[in-house]
Amino acid sequence: ARADMVGDEGTRRPASSLERFRQKRASSSSGGGGGGGVSHGGTSPAGGISNENESPRQPRGIPSSRPSTGDKLAALKARRSAARPASGRRAAEDATTAPGIEPRTTESARARRAATTRSPGDSPPRVSHSEPAVVAVHTGEEPDLKLADACLAVEESTTDVGGGGGVRVTLNRPRTTLKKTYELSTVVSNSNECFDKTGFAAATRAAVLDGVSCALITTGIHGSGKSRLVRGHGADGGADHLGACGYVASVVFDAVDEVKASHPGDVVTVAVSAIADVITAPVAPGVPVARRKTHEVLVDALAAGIELASAHRDDDDADEAPRKSTGEEDDNVRGGRGGGAGAVSAVFHGATSSVGVNVREHPTRGFYAEGCVEIVAEDAEDCARLVALASDGFRAKEREVRESGRATSALAASNGSFAGERVHCLLALRITRRSARGRLDPAGCGVWLPETETTSEIVVADVASIDRKKGSSAGGGGAAEDAAVKAFGRCVDALADSRSHVPCRDSKFTRLVSKALSGIARLFAVVCVSRNASRHDESDAALQLARKIRRGVRATGGKQRGDAGGGPSVSGPSTRPRPDHRVAYAAECERLDEEARDLAERLGVSIAGLTSGAVALDMESGDDLLALRDALAEGERLRAEVGRGAERAERSRRVRERFLS
């Protein structure tokens, strides 16, 4: 009996746990015939003592007749699925499972979706298009630069990085062997290449033909020819005296002629506007310039350019034939304020005083500049004239900021900086295309409702550069930080890092170019750098920004409302982004009218002459009454938008008669 405690040499030792487990398993498997093991009371049929309340244990290897907990849960889930109607993907997944017979298999969701895919004869899946941003580099014109002082080299790239290949820019740090390489799309040297070689010319035509918005944003270092590349030199003569903006004016109306030839009856209007985003740094006693908080002030540059042209023409007329002008006439023409861009704004808006420019957000069209002057261009020549007036307004504002900065800043005496005051220029062409097909609105007193209206926008933005000079200020700060440039950099960083939130609302400038940053519009960026080794750090920062733009910004297209087949993606394989904003006014108004009639009939009220303002809501109003008010309000808003084109044309006519005739 003590054999398990005796070793090979007869010494006593305790049995190990493994040996005890083996002995216990051997005794239990030998059967309980006459063993008579002691248990919790009661006599077992085999002669042992057992528990009367204990159920007999099933021998091993024989499956139990009782269902397991997993089977119970699977059967319960199957019964619940059969009790309620299933639709869509859930119905396809549950089709292979009979309620109460077998539980659902544990195959993955991807395998179940593969088993329920459509047949080859079905319609193709809905896919969305993603188009990367085009980023070009401009090295400026420095003919006197020596080879030993150059730190930048551009060569054709043999790899396809970021989609599209292009050029490789190599930046060498002075007096070291350190190098940095940047893969960009292309290199440009003049305004024609900036417009055509980057693909912005084709995008401009697509904005008219397909309704896809586009934006050209130029940024870079000071003195690299950035503004000349986009806005030209200003003097008449030469093909590029208006820069890339002048080419936009000509190509847009070439595309308009194509639309009129292919779709007779379609109405296409081109409205030109220009905004100068002035960055100001208010003087704060005892605060260094670099630590001043900058503010954004939006100025209507097109109104300023029109006023300048009108003033010059009045001076020429006065030299030829002097005339007397009454104060009453000046008040009528100038809006009661005398000269200035505010007079043009007052005449355009029909107000007694100037209307300020602010950024507002439309529920469907996104951000826009409220209060700016939009002049409808009649043809390509007239559009080029309006672009030239906008460029004159930009230069006048830049000259004003430069003179005020030099007069009020002690920093200007050392390096000519503007103490944080800079101007970002935005030229916008809004293209609206209305189809010839449509119907008269019976509820709108004969208002013509077009079948579709597509709105797109072409934006050319000239981002002011920041001149970083060492030792520019005794406070050690240089120029004040630009709120718009900092916000633009944060948006690009968020896009490059694929973050879920892009802070487009951080500045007025980023709101106005939010379509390009959010992927609704195609983005084309031109980064201007210098080959000079003394400006290595500024060129490096500009090229890093260019790389982030190319890596992070993708164009996917805008939203469509009331369009057949509309949705978040395009049916079938797509080769370009979707239109910016398309509304089917006829179908939408008909749907809203039908919905309002059904709700009014359900509520027992008459729909004749009923407006949204006449629907009174209180705490006890039901959902039907609220839906009726919303349907009426949406229909009124759509009908008001239809008449906005004629209103804009009338305002443009007033400005032309007063200032441009």
Side-chain angles (χ1 to χ4, degrees):
R2 299 286 182 175
D4 59 335
M5 302 293 292
V6 181
D8 296 338
E9 300 178 357
T11 59
R12 295 174 61 85
R13 63 176 179 80
S16 63
S17 59
L18 180 60
E19 291 175 351
R20 290 197 301 271
F21 173 73
R22 289 175 178 174
Q23 293 174 4
K24 184 176 180 181
R25 186 175 61 177
S27 61
S28 62
S29 61
S30 61
V38 180
S39 181
H40 292 15
T43 304
S44 65
I49 302 174
S50 63
N51 190 358
E52 296 179 356
N53 299 327
E54 186 178 0
S55 61
R57 183 176 298 175
Q58 289 284 348
R60 294 193 176 186
I62 301 176
S64 176
S65 59
R66 298 176 58 185
S68 64
T69 305
D71 295 339
K72 293 179 181 179
L73 293 176
L76 179 61
K77 188 175 182 181
R79 286 195 299 270
R80 289 180 176 177
S81 300
R84 62 175 179 265
S87 60
R89 189 176 116 189
R90 183 182 181 87
E93 292 177 353
D94 294 342
T96 58
T97 302
I101 298 178
E102 292 182 0
R104 183 182 297 180
T105 57
T106 58
E107 61 181 355
S108 63
R110 180 179 299 177
R112 291 196 301 270
R113 288 196 298 268
T116 58
T117 52
R118 55 173 59 91
S119 61
D122 295 340
S123 60
R126 299 172 67 87
V127 296
S128 59
H129 175 77
S130 178
E131 184 176 316
V134 177
V135 182
V137 61
H138 174 65
T139 57
E141 299 178 1
E142 296 174 311
D144 298 334
L145 182 65
K146 298 180 180 179
L147 183 62
D149 297 333
C151 67
L152 188 141
V154 181
E155 60 182 355
E156 294 293 333
S157 176
T158 58
T159 59
D160 188 5
V161 178
V167 297
R168 178 184 293 110
V169 181
T170 303
L171 189 64
N172 303 319
R173 180 173 289 276
R175 297 183 296 275
T176 64
T177 58
L178 300 177
K179 295 182 180 180
K180 287 186 178 181
T181 303
Y182 300 92
E183 298 282 348
L184 301 180
S185 302
T186 184
V187 58
V188 297
S189 58
N190 52 43
S191 300
N192 188 15
E193 292 184 356
C194 176
F195 181 70
D196 194 11
K197 194 174 180 180
T198 59
F200 190 63
T204 301
R205 294 183 67 256
V208 181
L209 300 177
D210 303 328
V212 182
S213 299
C214 59
L216 175 64
I217 299 178
T218 58
T219 183
I221 65 177
H222 178 71
S224 57
K226 171 177 56 61
S227 299
R228 185 185 182 94
L229 193 70
V230 180
R231 293 182 280 144
H233 48 74
D236 293 337
D240 59 346
H241 73 283
L242 292 177
C245 296
Y247 292 105
V248 170
S250 61
V251 171
V252 162
F253 276 89
D254 291 342
V256 170
D257 295 338
E258 294 183 20
V259 171
K260 292 181 179 179
S262 59
H263 297 79
D266 285 8
V267 179
V268 183
T269 59
V270 180
V272 182
S273 61
I275 302 297
D277 186 8
V278 182
I279 307 299
T280 61
V283 177
V287 179
V289 176
R291 296 187 178 182
R292 293 178 185 172
K293 184 177 181 180
T294 56
H295 303 277
E296 292 181 273
V297 180
L298 299 183
V299 178
D300 197 331
L302 180 57
I306 293 175
E307 174 61 27
L308 288 174
S310 177
H312 293 327
R313 186 176 61 253
D314 292 343
D315 293 341
D316 296 339
D317 294 342
D319 294 339
E320 295 177 1
R323 63 178 180 85
K324 291 185 178 181
S325 61
T326 63
E328 182 180 358
E329 180 183 359
D330 291 339
D331 289 343
N332 293 332
V333 174
R334 306 298 185 182
R337 294 191 46 152
V344 181
S345 177
V347 171
F348 180 81
H349 294 286
T352 57
S353 61
S354 175
V355 178
V357 181
N358 298 299
V359 179
R360 296 289 184 263
E361 185 176 7
H362 193 272
T364 58
R365 301 178 186 270
F367 293 103
Y368 68 99
E370 182 188 49
C372 67
V373 174
E374 279 188 317
I375 305 299
V376 178
E378 299 175 351
D379 49 21
E381 183 179 356
D382 185 52
C383 186
R385 181 189 180 189
L386 294 175
V387 170
L389 293 175
S391 298
D392 293 341
F394 288 141
R395 294 187 182 89
K397 194 60 187 178
E398 289 173 341
R399 184 165 53 251
E400 178 184 347
V401 169
R402 187 181 302 113
E403 293 175 355
S404 63
R406 287 175 178 172
T408 59
S409 175
L411 183 63
S414 60
N415 64 347
S417 177
F418 306 153
E421 295 188 359
R422 290 168 294 277
V423 180
H424 306 297
C425 306
L426 290 93
L427 177 70
L429 278 72
R430 186 186 300 273
I431 297 101
T432 304
R433 176 180 174 181
R434 289 187 176 181
S435 61
R437 294 177 296 181
R439 66 180 180 88
L440 290 175
D441 182 19
C445 301
V447 177
W448 176 260
L449 296 177
E451 183 175 328
T452 57
E453 180 181 283
T454 304
T455 304
S456 59
E457 195 173 21
I458 303 173
V459 177
V460 181
D462 182 11
V463 183
S465 58
I466 299 178
D467 192 5
R468 300 177 181 176
K469 293 185 178 181
K470 296 182 179 180
S472 59
S473 173
E481 287 188 349
D482 193 333
V485 172
K486 296 291 287 185
F488 181 72
R490 287 193 296 270
C491 293
V492 172
D493 290 340
L495 291 169
D497 297 339
S498 300
R499 301 175 193 169
S500 59
H501 173 66
V502 180
C504 293
R505 300 173 182 268
D506 285 2
S507 72
K508 298 178 181 179
F509 175 80
T510 53
R511 293 179 195 176
L512 294 176
V513 298
S514 60
K515 289 184 179 180
L517 296 176
S518 59
I520 298 177
R522 291 189 176 108
L523 176 60
F524 299 84
V526 178
V527 178
C528 301
V529 296
S530 175
R531 298 178 183 269
N532 199 329
S534 62
R535 313 197 69 180
H536 169 272
D537 293 342
E538 296 169 290
S539 299
D540 187 21
L543 290 173
Q544 288 183 15
L545 180 65
R547 180 167 58 185
K548 292 178 181 178
I549 293 175
R550 193 187 187 204
R551 183 176 61 189
V553 180
R554 299 275 173 174
T556 57
K559 300 179 180 179
Q560 299 181 20
R561 179 171 183 179
D563 191 13
S569 58
V570 179
S571 178
S574 176
T575 57
R576 54 182 177 266
R578 301 186 63 185
D580 182 358
H581 185 78
R582 177 178 293 171
V583 181
Y585 283 104
E588 278 290 292
C589 291
E590 184 178 0
R591 182 187 64 82
L592 292 170
D593 292 344
E594 183 67 23
E595 181 181 353
R597 282 194 296 267
D598 294 342
L599 292 170
E601 183 179 357
R602 191 183 309 169
L603 293 171
V605 298
S606 176
I607 196 65
L610 186 63
T611 61
S612 61
V615 179
L617 300 176
D618 53 18
M619 297 297 294
E620 298 180 357
S621 299
D623 295 339
D624 292 343
L625 188 61
L626 178 62
L628 176 62
R629 197 277 307 267
D630 292 343
L632 293 173
E634 185 67 14
E636 293 169 3
R637 187 184 67 83
L638 291 178
R639 290 178 172 87
E641 286 185 358
V642 173
R644 199 158 296 169
E647 182 183 357
R648 187 184 301 112
E650 175 62 23
R651 292 180 176 183
S652 300
R653 185 191 61 80
R654 290 201 302 261
V655 173
R656 289 180 183 277
E657 290 180 355
R658 298 287 182 90
F659 299 97
L660 299 178
S661 59

